[in-house]
């Protein structure tokens, strides 16, 4: 059976970092030090690491980045979803990780925001994420090859504003 554990970045141990890097190294071909440096340089203390376990083994990982977004005229606290990866493809671990993340977002009453390539849209859509049309976005920088998706947004909206960088 699966279980999920969350860790605030400022409370993470070197053992958990090692486990995260094992999973991330499957998806991104960088050496251990480069992966460790990326984590150190890109995550803030309050960001969250979500790890999917099968028994005692970490099998999938993602991180949640605290964000502020504006939806129409309302400000929202949100989590940006990044570094979604699993030890093996085709085992359903990514799906399980996203479904557990959805539950986490609902429990924490946070909107989820992610950026992905076109080939991943169906995966996220099947897991209840909604694509945002480019004409509904105000971003610091727009990349026509990057798509934006949201989860747990309570109402229909006209525009989402996010003035941070892609994650």
């Amino acid at each position: 059976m699966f279980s999920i554990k969350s860790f605030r970045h400022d409370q993470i141990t070197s053992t958990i970092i090692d486990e995260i890097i094992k999973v991330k190294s499957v998806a991104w071909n960088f050496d251990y030090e480069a992966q460790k440096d990326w984590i150190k340089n890109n995550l803030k203390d309050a960001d969250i690491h979500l790890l999917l376990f099968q028994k005692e083994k970490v099998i999938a990982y993602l991180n949640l980045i605290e964000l502020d977004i504006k939806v129409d005229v309302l400000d929202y606290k949100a989590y940006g979803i990044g570094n979604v990866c699993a030890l093996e493809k085709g085992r359903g671990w990514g799906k399980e990780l996203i479904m557990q993340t959805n539950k986490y977002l609902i429990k924490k009453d946070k909107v989820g925001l992610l950026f992905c390539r076109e080939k991943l849209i169906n995966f996220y859509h099947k897991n209840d994420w909604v694509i945002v049309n480019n004409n509904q976005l105000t971003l610091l920088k727009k990349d026509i090859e990057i798509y934006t998706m949201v989860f747990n947004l309570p109402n229909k909206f006209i525009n989402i504003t996010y003035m941070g960088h892609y994650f």
Side-chain angles (χ1 to χ4, degrees):
M1 204 68 209
F2 299 113
S3 63
I4 193 143
K5 293 183 184 172
S6 64
F7 300 89
R8 270 182 55 111
H9 183 63
D10 61 355
Q11 298 173 342
I12 200 150
T13 65
S14 59
T15 302
I16 296 298
I17 294 253
D18 290 346
E19 292 298 319
I20 290 168
I21 291 172
K22 282 181 195 172
V23 177
K24 283 187 73 201
S25 293
V26 171
W28 294 281
N29 189 25
F30 296 102
D31 67 24
Y32 179 88
E33 286 305 317
Q35 294 276 10
K36 190 173 177 182
D37 287 345
W38 188 94
I39 291 169
K40 178 183 172 187
N41 295 328
N42 289 283
L43 298 179
K44 296 179 186 100
D45 286 349
D47 293 339
I48 305 293
H49 299 272
L50 282 182
L51 288 80
L52 182 68
F53 288 79
Q54 188 170 45
K55 296 183 182 174
E56 299 299 315
K57 183 178 181 180
V58 176
I59 58 171
Y61 166 79
L62 62 75
N63 57 270
L64 303 172
I65 311 239
E66 283 198 328
L67 306 173
D68 293 311
I69 63 172
K70 185 177 285 277
V71 179
D72 299 330
V73 297
L74 300 175
D75 293 322
Y76 282 87
K77 294 292 185 185
Y79 277 128
I81 312 303
N83 292 294
V84 179
C85 53
L87 279 178
E88 296 177 35
K89 290 186 177 196
R91 303 281 307 258
W93 298 341
K95 177 181 177 57
E96 183 67 26
L97 179 63
I98 293 299
M99 295 307 292
Q100 292 294 329
T101 300
N102 291 354
K103 289 177 187 176
Y104 186 88
L105 293 169
I106 290 167
K107 180 180 173 185
K108 298 292 184 181
D109 194 28
K110 299 273 188 165
V111 172
L113 177 77
L114 65 80
F115 302 107
C116 66
R117 301 270 181 212
E118 185 175 16
K119 67 183 180 180
L120 293 172
I121 291 171
N122 285 337
F123 168 76
Y124 290 113
H125 181 72
K126 287 178 186 176
N127 291 295
D128 301 324
W129 286 71
V130 176
I131 193 159
V132 180
N133 293 323
N134 269 338
N135 62 353
Q136 295 177 287
L137 286 170
T138 303
L139 299 174
L140 183 64
K141 177 184 170 189
K142 284 191 183 179
D143 181 333
I144 60 170
E145 294 183 17
I146 303 291
Y147 294 82
T148 305
M149 300 186 81
V150 293
F151 176 81
N152 201 31
L153 197 55
N155 300 312
K156 293 189 181 224
F157 54 87
I158 296 169
N159 185 270
I160 294 176
T161 301
Y162 170 64
M163 298 312 291
H165 298 282
Y166 290 125
F167 40 85

